[in-house]
Amino acid sequence: MKTGTNFIKATKEYLKRNTGILLGLFVICIIVAIKSDNFLTQDNIMNVLRQISSNMYLASAMMMILIAGGIDLSVGSLIALIGVIGGTLISAGIPLPLVVLICLLVGALCGTVNGFILSRTTLPPFIVTLSMMNILRGATYVFTAGSTVRIDSREYINMGTGYLLMIPLPVIYMLIVILIVFIILNKTKLGRHIYAIGGNEKAAQFSGINVKKVRMFVYIFSGIMAALAGIVISARNYSGNPVAGNGAEMDAIAACVVGGTSMTGGYGFIGGTLIGALIIGLLNNGLNLMRIDSYWQIIFKGIIILVAVYIDYIKNLKKNKSN
Amino acid sequence: MAEKTLLLKMEHIHKKFPGVYALNDAKLELMAGEVHALLGENGAGKSTLIKILGGIYEKNQGEIYIDGTLKEINSVEDARSQGISIIHQELVLVPFLSIAENIFLGREPKKKSGLINRSKMIADTKNALDDFGLNLNPNSMIADLNIAQQQMVEIVKAISFNAKIIVMDEPTSSLSDTEVEGLFKSVKKLTARGIGIIYISHRMSELGQIADRVTVMRDGQYVDTKVIKETNNDELIRLMVGRELTSYYTRDFNASNEIVMEVKDLCSEKSNHVNFELRKGEILGFAGLIGAGRSETMEAIFGLKKITSGKVILNGMEIQGLTTKEVMKKGIGLVPEDRRAEGIFPDMATKFNITLKALDEFIKGIHVDGTKEHEISSKYINELAVKVPTDQTPIRSLSGGNQQKAILGSWLATNPTVLILDEPTRGVDVGAKSEIYMIMNELAKKGVSIIMVSSDLPEVLNMSDRVAVMSNGSVTGILDHMEATQTNIMEKAVQY
């Protein structure tokens, strides 16, 4: 009984918090559904979910970093590096589980380096991860001499193209990632500490929170998520491409921001970020179905982000005035 | 002093915000050359009144007369052209520009070519600084000045606008005693020129030294105006609170002799061989000048600053070198000095703020016991009488006193045996102050040992079982409640 009322309360809270973007999502769905017969087919819905899945891995981690008052620009480059490493290793005949493990470890390692620098210095996260973005992208080009690594392994490719009970595997991973992030942020002490650090780092220190450790965690998690995205994207493309993931960090940030995550830290919810990623994904999908030039999609994406942030700004303005 | 003329008269001022009647028939009069204190609890409407004068808010009703004529002030520019200048509590200088650039910001003298006439700007600034007896280089960057110097620059800037009326909002809240003296000298110079000063402060003891008259406000209403020499603290407090505070300080001195914590030869960045003992159920006041190393010593004990040598012994166990989290587990709590910067998570719910340090009580692994969480938060909201609409209200929208009580509650939720309170009543209004004293007394009675770092001497004298005085990183003396006086504390405070 009590879980029931709690669930209703949580749903109400969710609807109230995300009214604006849910409405936006709804409007986009209606317009696309009217304009295109293919939109509401099961195939297309699965297609949209699969398209947003990689962005969601990144955005889930990015959201935690933003909440903790940081940013991670290096994830796009990490996608390329991991795709290339994964492709090379699997082609060299190394067994799949080991390849996946190595890829995730490399991702974690890159996150560790970011986290280590950021917890030992006061360098701004923007600059540190921007440098890392360049270093990793460059390393990928150096490693491949600029060429693409072909992937033939069926089982590797299956990780990005396979299905489980009619649901694409990348979508399954996405659901797991969302669940993990939800649990971390809402059900653990770590989650509270992440919000606390972004809310007021100094006060977090005075509250006995190990700021360095928490910061380390979010960057390592981000690295692992980027590695996951790298594996899935390379599997779906049958290749590790050194230009893969270009600008992916920006899409992840966009999903967070459209979903209501604060760029100054302390505020953000996975439910909102999911809607943010859906809006951006649906926009691409819908404009494709409506046969609108893909160059225009980029312009629309920019406008959507601006509108979402502006709505957030107005909301904050009202909130501050009423106090 | 010249014959005093009426400089400013604000009458029948009304201001409504959605849901709040912020000002209801407020009134203020200021004479030329007068320092007029404005007193009232937080939320009494002082800052709203000042913001109306400064053109930041528009009044709904009422009249403002300057030099006897009715004026409309609808913008900050209007206020400035009427010679009104406000020095805010948070200084609004640009840190990485020079003194001269700050003073002339937005009205830089130009050469014929349209470029900035730097030499004129610097010469004018130099004159203005000299005129005020300030030995500062106009080219110094604001970020390199201390708070007191920055405040002086603000004052010089205000005068350079030909200000006739200067409002100072809590100007001494971050100044040391010598700096306060400097500020008061400057204020005297201003009044000698016929400038009228509206002075907002919570420190009642200052008013006698600096103010000529005082206007008291309560709940948005004008209460009374008194000549400072003809009134006293008790009367002013009664006017502010609107009721007789039975006793402002509550303290039953009943500490035991049992020693809970011992600090031996503690050295850290700002502490130099600090020694003291803390007894069960006592309030140990820590007095001293700003910069004496009191807060830094406490932070070292609390694991926030590195201890280079020495011992901290809590209940027979050495705890120096532990992390803050471990020190907390041993039963020490620290309510920091700067509430906004170090104490609260401003945008977070009050509940989040209260429960954050006691997560172990209701989060196990991935299970959150929401009922328990709610219990903890309600317990301290009720026990400490935190005035808050709901526990989901962001803590930043509470008054300073209620924020402080909520933060105190968040520490009590960790069940500390030793509680370090750094400036527990700074920026807190008299009503809440009195409540905080009552809470401290209750805690001490229950056997909690309290270290109270405070720059408010009356508070130290009235609340402490013993007073430790620090000077330049060392404890220069520990005085018993009976022997501690303002004089012997100050003697020890300036020992080094």
Side-chain angles (χ1 to χ4, degrees), chain B residues 135-402:
Chain B
N135 187 20
L136 291 172
N137 181 349
N139 288 312
S140 306
M141 214 194 275
I142 293 296
D144 296 336
L145 306 180
N146 65 33
I147 302 274
Q149 290 170 327
Q150 291 185 21
Q151 214 163 35
M152 296 301 166
V153 172
E154 283 264 23
I155 293 173
V156 171
K157 185 176 176 181
I159 304 168
S160 75
F161 278 102
N162 292 319
K164 293 186 289 193
I165 300 168
I166 296 181
V167 181
M168 296 186 179
D169 191 356
E170 295 261 4
T172 57
S173 62
S174 42
L175 298 188
S176 69
D177 287 3
T178 36
E179 290 168 340
V180 168
E181 230 168 79
L183 175 76
F184 286 179
K185 272 190 200 144
S186 312
V187 167
K188 294 256 156 66
K189 278 185 203 154
L190 292 174
T191 52
R193 297 180 189 188
I195 293 172
I197 293 184
I198 300 172
Y199 190 94
I200 302 177
S201 174
H202 280 125
R203 292 194 187 173
M204 311 264 293
S205 51
E206 282 172 12
L207 301 185
Q209 297 174 49
I210 188 74
D212 300 307
R213 289 191 301 163
V214 50
T215 288
V216 180
M217 291 180 72
R218 187 200 321 142
D219 301 331
Q221 275 175 311
Y222 169 85
V223 176
D224 207 346
T225 299
K226 297 272 176 191
V227 175
I228 280 285
K229 293 207 177 84
E230 296 164 8
T231 183
N232 56 47
N233 278 4
D234 287 345
E235 184 184 31
L236 290 176
I237 288 172
R238 188 171 49 73
L239 290 173
M240 266 195 286
V241 191
R243 59 180 192 275
E244 204 78 50
L245 280 177
T246 41
S247 72
Y248 187 44
Y249 298 104
T250 314
R251 186 76 189 104
D252 309 312
F253 296 97
N254 51 3
S256 75
N257 284 324
E258 186 189 331
I259 289 169
V260 178
M261 189 169 86
E262 257 181 293
V263 173
K264 282 186 181 169
D265 264 332
L266 180 87
C267 292
S268 74
E269 192 189 340
K270 286 272 184 70
S271 334
N272 183 18
H273 298 279
V274 170
N275 286 291
F276 67 90
E277 291 168 350
L278 181 67
R279 296 170 192 162
K280 190 176 165 72
E282 82 165 335
I283 296 179
L284 176 60
F286 260 79
L289 302 177
I290 285 177
R294 292 172 298 164
S295 299
E296 290 83 357
T297 303
M298 298 309 151
E299 285 169 21
I301 293 172
F302 199 53
L304 287 163
K305 287 213 156 54
K306 200 171 157 41
I307 295 176
T308 44
S309 70
K311 284 178 182 171
V312 180
I313 302 164
L314 180 71
N315 295 321
M317 263 183 302
E318 290 191 15
I319 60 160
Q320 71 276 7
L322 297 186
T323 65
T324 300
K325 192 178 168 188
E326 289 160 344
V327 173
M328 280 166 65
K329 280 232 165 75
K330 301 277 180 216
I332 302 185
L334 188 154
V335 177
E337 175 185 16
D338 189 338
R339 183 169 56 246
R340 241 176 296 179
E342 303 161 340
I344 61 169
F345 300 89
D347 296 330
M348 306 294 185
T350 307
K351 179 155 123 182
F352 180 98
N353 273 280
I354 291 180
T355 56
L356 184 72
K357 294 161 195 91
L359 297 181
D360 288 332
E361 304 270 323
F362 60 90
I363 300 183
K364 304 262 187 295
I366 61 163
H367 176 73
V368 180
D369 184 346
T371 320
K372 184 87 206 266
E373 179 183 11
H374 184 73
E375 262 172 36
I376 295 174
S377 140
S378 327
K379 180 177 173 206
Y380 293 103
I381 287 177
N382 293 333
E383 271 183 16
L384 306 185
V386 180
K387 281 185 213 115
V388 56
T390 79
D391 59 9
Q392 291 301 326
T393 308
I395 198 164
R396 74 182 135 79
S397 53
L398 310 192
S399 72
N402 283 308

Side-chain angles (χ1 to χ4, degrees), chain A residues 250-266:
Chain A
M250 291 302 161
D251 278 350
I253 293 169
C256 294
V257 170
V258 172
T261 308
S262 159
M263 287 295 285
T264 49

Side-chain angles (χ1 to χ4, degrees), chain B residues 424-454:
Chain B
T425 62
R426 173 177 288 177
V428 165
D429 59 56
V430 276
K433 251 187 180 178
S434 178
E435 286 178 58
I436 289 172
Y437 295 140
M438 229 157 4
I439 295 165
M440 286 167 63
N441 189 47
E442 282 306 309
L443 288 171
K445 267 202 214 163
K446 282 185 199 154
V448 177
S449 309
I450 296 175
I451 294 177
M452 177 182 71
V453 177
S454 172

Side-chain angles (χ1 to χ4, degrees), chain B residues 80-95:
Chain B
R80 195 171 273 175
S81 65
Q82 294 301 331
I84 297 162
S85 189
I86 299 182
I87 297 173
H88 292 279
Q89 200 172 348
E90 291 93 17
L91 301 176
V92 284
L93 297 168
V94 186

Side-chain angles (χ1 to χ4, degrees), chain A residues 227-260:
Chain A
L228 176 63
I231 295 171
V232 168
I233 289 172
S234 60
R236 278 172 51 73
N237 291 333
Y238 306 150
S239 63
N241 189 335
V243 297
N246 203 356
E249 64 282 344
M250 291 302 161
D251 278 350
I253 293 169
C256 294
V257 170
V258 172

